[in-house]
Amino acid sequence: MTDTGNTTKASLNKFEKFKAEKDGLAIKAEIEKFAALGWEAMDETDRDHRLKWVGVFFRPVTPGKFMMRLRMPNGILTSDQMRVLAEVLQRYGDEGSADITTRQNIQLRGIRIEDLPDIFNKFHAVGLTSVQSGMDNVRNITGDPVAGLDADELFDTRDLVQQIQDMLTNKGEGNPEFSNLPRKFNIAITGGRDNSVHAEINDLAFVPAFKEATFGFNILVGGFFSAKRCDAAIPLNAWVAPEDVVAVCRAVLEVFRDNGSRANRLKSRLMWLLDEWGIDKFRAEVEQRLGKSFLPAAPKDEIDWEKRDHIGVYKQKQPGLNYVGFHVPVGRLYAEGMFEIARLAEVYGSGEIRLTVEQNIIIPNISDSSLGTFLAEPLLERFSINPGVLERSLVSCTGAQFCNFALIETKNRAIATVKALEEDLTFTQPVRIHWTGCPNSCGQPQVADIGLMGTKARKDGKAVEGVDIYMGGKVGKDAHLGTCAIKGIPCEDLQPVLQDLLIKHFGAKLKQEALVEV
Ligand code: SRM
Ligand code: SF4
């Protein structure tokens, strides 16, 4: 591997310089030392940047209380793993919380550096890893949340996602081959018909497609969001059989690692390399690493359904079993709720718990006979299987409570806004609202019917918290990105603007009017 890709040493950005001095993974061996030193005495580059290679994020908003980002391949965890995460949080009392992320993953908050050795031991004992989950690494790999349960699926993505993660992370121990990419990298695989993973917004995505009668995947590349630019993934014009997917991931990452720009960090994602080379040269380079040529893409893929949200009760392909999806408002969890989720998964299911990119939870393998008792559990009053129309598909990034990039508070505001809208309106169709605190777009406003992106707005001559409004995002079949439709609405004036949009574009009605019509 060349350590600088196509960039000269002199033009390396500051992140490349500190990575060249010491690889992020090197800090794995220093965790005990950091724990003894305490966060205030640590080297700042280790604390603020390199710790992210083991999934530990310094939070300038809550100094001394770190965030930990796990890896949850295909969004699946066991009740034992959930219980360990809850135990970690429990020691922090009110200061500990967790979030289900927009990549089917979990982040913990409130973590103290002195507890890290113990936390890593606990993770190890139950097969959890947080390695390479931040900075210039491959993020959590997403797959169908109902893989292996859905009678209509074309391919069960679970094993492939796990194999890719094992390859990238050396089975969770850390893999220096892929710990120094030019920038972050997202991978998604879908084997269902509804594009449950937002394939189009990943740097590398595999979507189901038959070549003659043989099952495989068409490959998409270069999808990404950033503050500077957002693009949907484009076809690589390549088809791959399932058994070659891991090798293709490796080959694509090697090409990106060795050739992606390491000069301007704002232009380092894969799409910029595709721009520079063109898709044909990129494909040829990947083929060379792979040691064979791709077959051209199948003429059509099998994504022909609208996207499902999996909230509610659904029959599994296994006779007599059901999966139940419940809504976790903006993905926020606390220790006590997590213990309860683990208990329910064990008592009523097989101990398995699944996460969705909409920040919700699915418990599978609940028998027909125990379904009634399960649905009467008090937790389902808080995490509903039948939430309000807007609440149901509400997604929000972290926002100002914990993220120092945020221009606005998001999660609490998101909940309060939909509550007020649901009080005033009746709905005839679902409307997906996504909040994101800044242009980095972690809350994916471009995939929403209505996306709200934090910005600074002006009101009465003063700078106030505001949003730019995105419209037109389409998910599932024929997915495409929404674009900015209205700029700079002060958050305090947002309610009537949203009400208006819901009435004009999504068939909502004021409750008063609906009453008159009846
Ligand atoms: Fe993100 C940086 C949170 C999904 C694009 N993202 C961050 C940081 C790490 C910034 C920071 O250090 O504070 C945020 C941590 C805040 C915190 O304390 O939680 C953060 N991103 C998140 C999460 C937690 C949002 C959520 O509430 O769900 C998601 C974690 C996913 C995971 O499990 O790994 C998350 N981030 C995304 C997505 C959505 C996706 O992957 O589908 C995107 C857009 C897609 C993409 O990356 O192409 C996204 N995050 C970014 C970017 C812009 C990347 C770029 O190329 O410029 C940044 C900034 C950066 O990397 O420099 C960023
Ligand atoms: Fe933080 Fe911005 Fe990402 Fe929200 S979108 S989590 S505010 S970086």
Side-chain angles (χ1 to χ4, degrees):
M1 154 186 166
T2 59
D3 65 346
T4 56
N6 58 6
T7 314
T8 63
K9 273 231 153 55
S11 61
L12 289 181
N13 66 57
K14 73 167 188 180
F15 292 83
E16 292 302 330
K17 285 186 182 141
F18 80 66
K19 288 192 292 176
E21 275 164 27
K22 173 173 151 189
D23 188 85
L25 273 184
I27 58 122
K28 255 199 103 194
E30 298 179 79
I31 298 298
E32 298 271 357
K33 186 180 86 188
F34 297 154
L37 261 181
W39 69 273
E40 281 161 303
M42 276 180 71
D43 170 79
E44 272 187 28
T45 310
D46 285 344
R47 185 193 69 192
D48 298 358
H49 300 297
R50 291 196 189 96
L51 269 181
K52 293 179 184 169
W53 267 260
V54 290
V56 178
F57 290 60
F58 178 69
R59 301 290 73 198
V61 182
T62 57
K65 292 174 212 151
F66 289 74
M67 180 269 276
M68 263 189 114
R69 180 183 285 167
L70 279 294
R71 299 193 76 95
M72 300 275 157
N74 211 120
I76 300 179
L77 71 162
T78 64
S79 52
D80 283 345
Q81 292 174 332
M82 183 63 104
R83 204 170 286 114
V84 161
L85 298 177
E87 278 166 15
V88 168
L89 287 188
Q90 201 176 27
R91 69 178 92 177
Y92 304 118
D94 289 348
E95 294 179 342
S97 61
D99 287 315
I100 304 171
T101 77
T102 51
R103 292 200 69 79
Q104 262 184 331
N105 195 7
I106 288 185
Q107 294 185 165
L108 305 180
R109 302 188 183 280
I111 307 297
R112 294 185 207 280
I113 209 88
E114 54 270 31
D115 296 334
L116 284 181
D118 178 49
I119 293 174
F120 283 122
N121 284 338
K122 280 178 180 285
F123 283 3
H124 201 253
V126 291
L128 277 173
T129 183
S130 58
V131 80
Q132 289 167 252
S133 59
M135 279 298 289
D136 299 346
N137 287 290
V138 179
R139 296 290 184 273
N140 195 46
I141 301 160
T142 54
D144 290 310
V146 290
L149 312 175
D150 177 11
D152 294 302
E153 81 183 346
L154 300 160
F155 185 83
D156 177 350
T157 52
R158 290 175 295 175
D159 189 45
L160 256 189
V161 170
Q162 185 69 54
Q163 283 183 48
I164 301 169
Q165 171 165 312
D166 287 348
M167 180 269 289
L168 288 171
T169 65
N170 181 25
K171 300 203 163 141
E173 293 300 310
N175 181 358
E177 278 183 291
F178 297 113
S179 63
N180 184 2
L181 302 174
R183 203 67 166 87
K184 72 185 287 195
F185 196 93
N186 291 327
I187 301 179
I189 310 184
T190 175
R193 296 186 172 277
D194 72 336
N195 185 14
S196 59
V197 292
H198 303 310
E200 69 285 0
I201 65 171
N202 283 263
D203 297 272
L204 174 60
F206 298 87
V207 294
F210 286 97
K211 194 91 185 165
E212 275 122 42
T214 310
F215 179 81
F217 300 95
N218 280 348
I219 302 175
L220 304 176
V221 283
F224 80 119
F225 297 158
S226 73
K228 189 176 170 68
R229 173 181 176 190
C230 296
D231 266 313
I234 55 174
L236 182 63
N237 189 17
W239 180 91
V240 62
E243 57 271 24
D244 287 336
V245 165
V246 180
V248 169
C249 289
R250 168 175 274 281
V252 167
L253 282 166
E254 284 177 0
V255 171
F256 177 55
R257 178 192 67 194
D258 296 347
N259 299 283
S261 168
R262 290 172 187 261
N264 181 352
R265 236 176 128 69
L266 297 176
K267 295 188 172 180
S268 293
R269 296 290 292 270
L270 180 65
M271 186 58 103
W272 295 96
L273 180 63
L274 299 176
D275 282 352
E276 188 189 325
W277 278 3
I279 200 78
D280 292 335
K281 174 170 176 188
F282 179 76
R283 189 178 46 252
E285 294 284 334
V286 174
E287 285 172 332
Q288 203 187 347
R289 302 279 177 143
L290 199 57
K292 63 177 172 186
S293 299
F294 283 115
L295 290 173
K300 78 175 218 2
D301 63 40
E302 299 299 320
I303 303 293
D304 49 11
W305 284 11
E306 294 306 321
K307 191 171 183 314
R308 297 165 295 174
D309 65 11
H310 306 298
I311 291 176
V313 180
Y314 300 89
K315 290 266 166 236
Q316 288 180 204
K317 68 176 165 192
Q318 296 82 5
L321 293 181
N322 307 274
Y323 66 86
V324 178
F326 47 87
H327 174 68
V328 179
V330 292
R332 177 62 49 86
L333 294 168
Y334 295 92
E336 144 275 338
M338 292 159 77
F339 281 123
E340 194 53 9
I341 292 165
R343 187 186 71 80
L344 297 189
E346 264 169 23
V347 171
Y348 296 97
S350 55
E352 192 175 294
I353 297 158
R354 299 189 179 202
L355 312 170
T356 71
V357 295
E358 287 85 18
Q359 305 175 315
N360 295 317
I361 286 189
I362 295 170
I363 296 187
N365 301 322
I366 302 177
S367 69
D368 289 342
S369 58
S370 55
L371 194 56
T373 341
F374 173 79
L375 295 177
E377 284 283 351
L379 191 76
L380 298 195
E381 282 162 30
R382 194 175 352 144
F383 298 151
S384 175
I385 62 157
N386 189 21
V389 172
L390 298 184
E391 195 189 3
R392 182 176 183 118
S393 32
L394 185 63
V395 168
S396 173
C397 84
T398 306
Q401 189 184 3
F402 298 110
C403 180
N404 60 305
F405 285 121
L407 300 169
I408 61 169
E409 196 283 320
T410 50
K411 285 199 189 259
N412 292 319
R413 193 171 256 145
I415 291 177
T417 309
V418 300
K419 192 162 175 277
L421 288 165
E422 285 179 352
E423 268 164 25
D424 291 345
L425 297 169
T426 56
F427 301 92
T428 50
Q429 64 180 92
V431 187
R432 295 171 306 103
I433 300 181
H434 284 222
W435 284 75
T436 209
C438 81
N440 282 329
S441 298
C442 306
Q444 311 150 322
Q446 303 85 348
V447 309
D449 293 315
I450 301 179
L452 303 163
M453 180 188 287
T455 187
K456 284 283 164 249
R458 291 200 80 75
K459 183 163 184 181
D460 304 328
K462 285 197 201 111
V464 292
E465 293 200 349
V467 288
D468 291 339
I469 302 183
Y470 281 66
M471 303 272 298
K474 164 90 179 63
V475 293
K477 180 185 169 203
D478 302 326
H480 60 252
L481 304 184
T483 50
C484 185
I486 308 173
K487 283 184 89 74
I489 303 291
C491 288
E492 57 197 82
D493 300 338
L494 183 60
Q495 193 74 10
V497 177
L498 288 179
Q499 190 163 300
D500 218 36
L501 290 176
L502 288 163
I503 292 170
K504 274 202 189 118
H505 298 276
F506 300 96
K509 289 206 162 110
L510 279 170
K511 279 191 178 158
Q512 294 300 341
E513 281 173 19
L515 279 177
V516 173
E517 274 174 32
V518 168

PDB file of all heavy atoms in Angstrom, residues 173-196:
ATOM      1  N   GLU A 173     -10.775  -7.643  16.051  1.00  0.00           N
ATOM      2  CA  GLU A 173      -9.527  -7.359  16.776  1.00  0.00           C
ATOM      3  C   GLU A 173      -8.824  -6.114  16.232  1.00  0.00           C
ATOM      4  O   GLU A 173      -7.927  -5.565  16.856  1.00  0.00           O
ATOM      5  CB  GLU A 173      -8.567  -8.564  16.674  1.00  0.00           C
ATOM      6  CG  GLU A 173      -9.057  -9.808  17.388  1.00  0.00           C
ATOM      7  CD  GLU A 173      -9.266  -9.556  18.881  1.00  0.00           C
ATOM      8  OE1 GLU A 173      -8.361  -9.015  19.533  1.00  0.00           O
ATOM      9  OE2 GLU A 173     -10.367  -9.879  19.383  1.00  0.00           O
ATOM     10  N   GLY A 174      -9.230  -5.670  15.031  1.00  0.00           N
ATOM     11  CA  GLY A 174      -8.570  -4.528  14.383  1.00  0.00           C
ATOM     12  C   GLY A 174      -7.680  -5.008  13.256  1.00  0.00           C
ATOM     13  O   GLY A 174      -6.936  -5.975  13.409  1.00  0.00           O
ATOM     14  N   ASN A 175      -7.812  -4.343  12.099  1.00  0.00           N
ATOM     15  CA  ASN A 175      -7.065  -4.770  10.918  1.00  0.00           C
ATOM     16  C   ASN A 175      -6.334  -3.578  10.298  1.00  0.00           C
ATOM     17  O   ASN A 175      -6.963  -2.728   9.658  1.00  0.00           O
ATOM     18  CB  ASN A 175      -8.032  -5.390   9.906  1.00  0.00           C
ATOM     19  CG  ASN A 175      -7.320  -5.876   8.659  1.00  0.00           C
ATOM     20  OD1 ASN A 175      -6.095  -5.720   8.528  1.00  0.00           O
ATOM     21  ND2 ASN A 175      -8.077  -6.461   7.746  1.00  0.00           N
ATOM     22  N   PRO A 176      -4.996  -3.504  10.484  1.00  0.00           N
ATOM     23  CA  PRO A 176      -4.243  -2.352   9.978  1.00  0.00           C
ATOM     24  C   PRO A 176      -4.295  -2.206   8.452  1.00  0.00           C
ATOM     25  O   PRO A 176      -4.016  -1.130   7.933  1.00  0.00           O
ATOM     26  CB  PRO A 176      -2.808  -2.608  10.457  1.00  0.00           C
ATOM     27  CG  PRO A 176      -2.775  -3.996  10.969  1.00  0.00           C
ATOM     28  CD  PRO A 176      -4.168  -4.456  11.217  1.00  0.00           C
ATOM     29  N   GLU A 177      -4.689  -3.260   7.743  1.00  0.00           N
ATOM     30  CA  GLU A 177      -4.821  -3.131   6.276  1.00  0.00           C
ATOM     31  C   GLU A 177      -5.860  -2.074   5.905  1.00  0.00           C
ATOM     32  O   GLU A 177      -5.774  -1.437   4.864  1.00  0.00           O
ATOM     33  CB  GLU A 177      -5.332  -4.446   5.689  1.00  0.00           C
ATOM     34  CG  GLU A 177      -4.326  -5.514   5.462  1.00  0.00           C
ATOM     35  CD  GLU A 177      -5.023  -6.706   4.813  1.00  0.00           C
ATOM     36  OE1 GLU A 177      -5.838  -7.363   5.494  1.00  0.00           O
ATOM     37  OE2 GLU A 177      -4.766  -6.956   3.633  1.00  0.00           O
ATOM     38  N   PHE A 178      -6.902  -1.945   6.733  1.00  0.00           N
ATOM     39  CA  PHE A 178      -7.988  -1.025   6.384  1.00  0.00           C
ATOM     40  C   PHE A 178      -8.246   0.025   7.466  1.00  0.00           C
ATOM     41  O   PHE A 178      -9.342   0.534   7.603  1.00  0.00           O
ATOM     42  CB  PHE A 178      -9.278  -1.814   6.100  1.00  0.00           C
ATOM     43  CG  PHE A 178      -9.137  -2.725   4.920  1.00  0.00           C
ATOM     44  CD1 PHE A 178      -9.166  -4.098   5.066  1.00  0.00           C
ATOM     45  CD2 PHE A 178      -8.932  -2.204   3.645  1.00  0.00           C
ATOM     46  CE1 PHE A 178      -9.006  -4.947   3.986  1.00  0.00           C
ATOM     47  CE2 PHE A 178      -8.766  -3.035   2.550  1.00  0.00           C
ATOM     48  CZ  PHE A 178      -8.805  -4.413   2.714  1.00  0.00           C
ATOM     49  N   SER A 179      -7.212   0.349   8.227  1.00  0.00           N
ATOM     50  CA  SER A 179      -7.416   1.331   9.298  1.00  0.00           C
ATOM     51  C   SER A 179      -6.913   2.712   8.906  1.00  0.00           C
ATOM     52  O   SER A 179      -6.904   3.628   9.721  1.00  0.00           O
ATOM     53  CB  SER A 179      -6.702   0.868  10.571  1.00  0.00           C
ATOM     54  OG  SER A 179      -5.314   0.808  10.344  1.00  0.00           O
ATOM     55  N   ASN A 180      -6.490   2.868   7.662  1.00  0.00           N
ATOM     56  CA  ASN A 180      -6.036   4.186   7.220  1.00  0.00           C
ATOM     57  C   ASN A 180      -6.538   4.456   5.805  1.00  0.00           C
ATOM     58  O   ASN A 180      -5.772   4.512   4.846  1.00  0.00           O
ATOM     59  CB  ASN A 180      -4.509   4.277   7.304  1.00  0.00           C
ATOM     60  CG  ASN A 180      -4.008   5.668   6.940  1.00  0.00           C
ATOM     61  OD1 ASN A 180      -4.804   6.576   6.666  1.00  0.00           O
ATOM     62  ND2 ASN A 180      -2.696   5.839   6.920  1.00  0.00           N
ATOM     63  N   LEU A 181      -7.851   4.607   5.697  1.00  0.00           N
ATOM     64  CA  LEU A 181      -8.454   4.993   4.418  1.00  0.00           C
ATOM     65  C   LEU A 181      -8.340   6.507   4.281  1.00  0.00           C
ATOM     66  O   LEU A 181      -8.113   7.207   5.270  1.00  0.00           O
ATOM     67  CB  LEU A 181      -9.929   4.559   4.390  1.00  0.00           C
ATOM     68  CG  LEU A 181     -10.196   3.056   4.581  1.00  0.00           C
ATOM     69  CD1 LEU A 181     -11.692   2.787   4.681  1.00  0.00           C
ATOM     70  CD2 LEU A 181      -9.584   2.257   3.430  1.00  0.00           C
ATOM     71  N   PRO A 182      -8.532   7.043   3.080  1.00  0.00           N
ATOM     72  CA  PRO A 182      -8.474   8.507   2.941  1.00  0.00           C
ATOM     73  C   PRO A 182      -9.620   9.205   3.690  1.00  0.00           C
ATOM     74  O   PRO A 182      -9.523  10.383   4.033  1.00  0.00           O
ATOM     75  CB  PRO A 182      -8.611   8.739   1.433  1.00  0.00           C
ATOM     76  CG  PRO A 182      -8.233   7.438   0.805  1.00  0.00           C
ATOM     77  CD  PRO A 182      -8.647   6.371   1.779  1.00  0.00           C
ATOM     78  N   ARG A 183     -10.698   8.473   3.955  1.00  0.00           N
ATOM     79  CA  ARG A 183     -11.890   9.073   4.579  1.00  0.00           C
ATOM     80  C   ARG A 183     -12.801   7.941   5.023  1.00  0.00           C
ATOM     81  O   ARG A 183     -12.533   6.772   4.735  1.00  0.00           O
ATOM     82  CB  ARG A 183     -12.596   9.953   3.516  1.00  0.00           C
ATOM     83  CG  ARG A 183     -13.492  11.049   4.056  1.00  0.00           C
ATOM     84  CD  ARG A 183     -12.717  12.125   4.770  1.00  0.00           C
ATOM     85  NE  ARG A 183     -13.527  13.315   4.990  1.00  0.00           N
ATOM     86  CZ  ARG A 183     -14.321  13.510   6.034  1.00  0.00           C
ATOM     87  NH1 ARG A 183     -14.485  12.575   6.942  1.00  0.00           N
ATOM     88  NH2 ARG A 183     -14.974  14.656   6.169  1.00  0.00           N
ATOM     89  N   LYS A 184     -13.935   8.286   5.656  1.00  0.00           N
ATOM     90  CA  LYS A 184     -14.896   7.252   6.039  1.00  0.00           C
ATOM     91  C   LYS A 184     -15.430   6.525   4.812  1.00  0.00           C
ATOM     92  O   LYS A 184     -15.342   7.046   3.686  1.00  0.00           O
ATOM     93  CB  LYS A 184     -16.055   7.867   6.824  1.00  0.00           C
ATOM     94  CG  LYS A 184     -17.001   8.688   5.977  1.00  0.00           C
ATOM     95  CD  LYS A 184     -18.081   9.390   6.783  1.00  0.00           C
ATOM     96  CE  LYS A 184     -19.148   8.466   7.315  1.00  0.00           C
ATOM     97  NZ  LYS A 184     -20.355   9.241   7.768  1.00  0.00           N
ATOM     98  N   PHE A 185     -16.063   5.349   5.040  1.00  0.00           N
ATOM     99  CA  PHE A 185     -16.567   4.552   3.919  1.00  0.00           C
ATOM    100  C   PHE A 185     -17.776   3.754   4.399  1.00  0.00           C
ATOM    101  O   PHE A 185     -17.736   3.137   5.456  1.00  0.00           O
ATOM    102  CB  PHE A 185     -15.453   3.608   3.436  1.00  0.00           C
ATOM    103  CG  PHE A 185     -15.690   3.020   2.082  1.00  0.00           C
ATOM    104  CD1 PHE A 185     -15.188   3.641   0.949  1.00  0.00           C
ATOM    105  CD2 PHE A 185     -16.403   1.837   1.947  1.00  0.00           C
ATOM    106  CE1 PHE A 185     -15.396   3.087  -0.313  1.00  0.00           C
ATOM    107  CE2 PHE A 185     -16.628   1.286   0.683  1.00  0.00           C
ATOM    108  CZ  PHE A 185     -16.119   1.909  -0.447  1.00  0.00           C
ATOM    109  N   ASN A 186     -18.840   3.782   3.607  1.00  0.00           N
ATOM    110  CA  ASN A 186     -20.079   3.090   3.991  1.00  0.00           C
ATOM    111  C   ASN A 186     -20.390   1.949   3.029  1.00  0.00           C
ATOM    112  O   ASN A 186     -20.335   2.134   1.805  1.00  0.00           O
ATOM    113  CB  ASN A 186     -21.259   4.071   3.969  1.00  0.00           C
ATOM    114  CG  ASN A 186     -21.163   5.111   5.075  1.00  0.00           C
ATOM    115  OD1 ASN A 186     -20.654   4.814   6.166  1.00  0.00           O
ATOM    116  ND2 ASN A 186     -21.638   6.310   4.824  1.00  0.00           N
ATOM    117  N   ILE A 187     -20.774   0.798   3.599  1.00  0.00           N
ATOM    118  CA  ILE A 187     -21.142  -0.373   2.778  1.00  0.00           C
ATOM    119  C   ILE A 187     -22.527  -0.868   3.204  1.00  0.00           C
ATOM    120  O   ILE A 187     -22.827  -0.928   4.403  1.00  0.00           O
ATOM    121  CB  ILE A 187     -20.136  -1.534   2.959  1.00  0.00           C
ATOM    122  CG1 ILE A 187     -18.718  -1.091   2.578  1.00  0.00           C
ATOM    123  CG2 ILE A 187     -20.549  -2.753   2.136  1.00  0.00           C
ATOM    124  CD1 ILE A 187     -17.652  -2.180   2.759  1.00  0.00           C
ATOM    125  N   ALA A 188     -23.368  -1.217   2.215  1.00  0.00           N
ATOM    126  CA  ALA A 188     -24.701  -1.764   2.504  1.00  0.00           C
ATOM    127  C   ALA A 188     -24.990  -2.914   1.549  1.00  0.00           C
ATOM    128  O   ALA A 188     -24.575  -2.888   0.388  1.00  0.00           O
ATOM    129  CB  ALA A 188     -25.757  -0.677   2.318  1.00  0.00           C
ATOM    130  N   ILE A 189     -25.714  -3.920   2.059  1.00  0.00           N
ATOM    131  CA  ILE A 189     -26.147  -5.035   1.197  1.00  0.00           C
ATOM    132  C   ILE A 189     -27.629  -5.261   1.411  1.00  0.00           C
ATOM    133  O   ILE A 189     -28.081  -5.343   2.554  1.00  0.00           O
ATOM    134  CB  ILE A 189     -25.480  -6.379   1.554  1.00  0.00           C
ATOM    135  CG1 ILE A 189     -23.978  -6.207   1.666  1.00  0.00           C
ATOM    136  CG2 ILE A 189     -25.800  -7.430   0.510  1.00  0.00           C
ATOM    137  CD1 ILE A 189     -23.266  -7.519   1.912  1.00  0.00           C
ATOM    138  N   THR A 190     -28.364  -5.371   0.332  1.00  0.00           N
ATOM    139  CA  THR A 190     -29.773  -5.699   0.497  1.00  0.00           C
ATOM    140  C   THR A 190     -30.137  -6.935  -0.326  1.00  0.00           C
ATOM    141  O   THR A 190     -29.722  -7.071  -1.473  1.00  0.00           O
ATOM    142  CB  THR A 190     -30.693  -4.498   0.176  1.00  0.00           C
ATOM    143  OG1 THR A 190     -32.039  -4.922   0.245  1.00  0.00           O
ATOM    144  CG2 THR A 190     -30.404  -3.871  -1.170  1.00  0.00           C
ATOM    145  N   GLY A 191     -30.890  -7.830   0.324  1.00  0.00           N
ATOM    146  CA  GLY A 191     -31.325  -9.045  -0.358  1.00  0.00           C
ATOM    147  C   GLY A 191     -32.834  -9.089  -0.471  1.00  0.00           C
ATOM    148  O   GLY A 191     -33.403 -10.059  -0.947  1.00  0.00           O
ATOM    149  N   GLY A 192     -33.488  -8.020  -0.009  1.00  0.00           N
ATOM    150  CA  GLY A 192     -34.949  -7.937  -0.101  1.00  0.00           C
ATOM    151  C   GLY A 192     -35.355  -7.081  -1.291  1.00  0.00           C
ATOM    152  O   GLY A 192     -34.508  -6.638  -2.071  1.00  0.00           O
ATOM    153  N   ARG A 193     -36.656  -6.828  -1.382  1.00  0.00           N
ATOM    154  CA  ARG A 193     -37.151  -6.117  -2.561  1.00  0.00           C
ATOM    155  C   ARG A 193     -37.405  -4.643  -2.304  1.00  0.00           C
ATOM    156  O   ARG A 193     -37.871  -3.920  -3.166  1.00  0.00           O
ATOM    157  CB  ARG A 193     -38.474  -6.754  -3.018  1.00  0.00           C
ATOM    158  CG  ARG A 193     -38.315  -8.189  -3.479  1.00  0.00           C
ATOM    159  CD  ARG A 193     -39.622  -8.711  -4.052  1.00  0.00           C
ATOM    160  NE  ARG A 193     -39.440 -10.012  -4.664  1.00  0.00           N
ATOM    161  CZ  ARG A 193     -38.983 -10.194  -5.904  1.00  0.00           C
ATOM    162  NH1 ARG A 193     -38.676  -9.165  -6.653  1.00  0.00           N
ATOM    163  NH2 ARG A 193     -38.845 -11.418  -6.373  1.00  0.00           N
ATOM    164  N   ASP A 194     -37.146  -4.176  -1.067  1.00  0.00           N
ATOM    165  CA  ASP A 194     -37.585  -2.810  -0.742  1.00  0.00           C
ATOM    166  C   ASP A 194     -36.427  -1.880  -0.378  1.00  0.00           C
ATOM    167  O   ASP A 194     -36.656  -0.796   0.152  1.00  0.00           O
ATOM    168  CB  ASP A 194     -38.644  -2.833   0.368  1.00  0.00           C
ATOM    169  CG  ASP A 194     -38.047  -3.195   1.720  1.00  0.00           C
ATOM    170  OD1 ASP A 194     -36.989  -3.853   1.743  1.00  0.00           O
ATOM    171  OD2 ASP A 194     -38.637  -2.813   2.744  1.00  0.00           O
ATOM    172  N   ASN A 195     -35.213  -2.296  -0.668  1.00  0.00           N
ATOM    173  CA  ASN A 195     -34.079  -1.395  -0.454  1.00  0.00           C
ATOM    174  C   ASN A 195     -34.097  -0.834   0.966  1.00  0.00           C
ATOM    175  O   ASN A 195     -34.035   0.373   1.186  1.00  0.00           O
ATOM    176  CB  ASN A 195     -34.123  -0.268  -1.500  1.00  0.00           C
ATOM    177  CG  ASN A 195     -32.914   0.646  -1.442  1.00  0.00           C
ATOM    178  OD1 ASN A 195     -31.902   0.326  -0.807  1.00  0.00           O
ATOM    179  ND2 ASN A 195     -33.022   1.797  -2.091  1.00  0.00           N
ATOM    180  N   SER A 196     -34.149  -1.756   1.924  1.00  0.00           N
ATOM    181  CA  SER A 196     -34.333  -1.360   3.321  1.00  0.00           C
ATOM    182  C   SER A 196     -33.126  -0.625   3.898  1.00  0.00           C
ATOM    183  O   SER A 196     -33.194  -0.092   4.992  1.00  0.00           O
ATOM    184  CB  SER A 196     -34.589  -2.609   4.161  1.00  0.00           C
ATOM    185  OG  SER A 196     -33.481  -3.464   4.014  1.00  0.00           O
TER     186      SER A 196
END
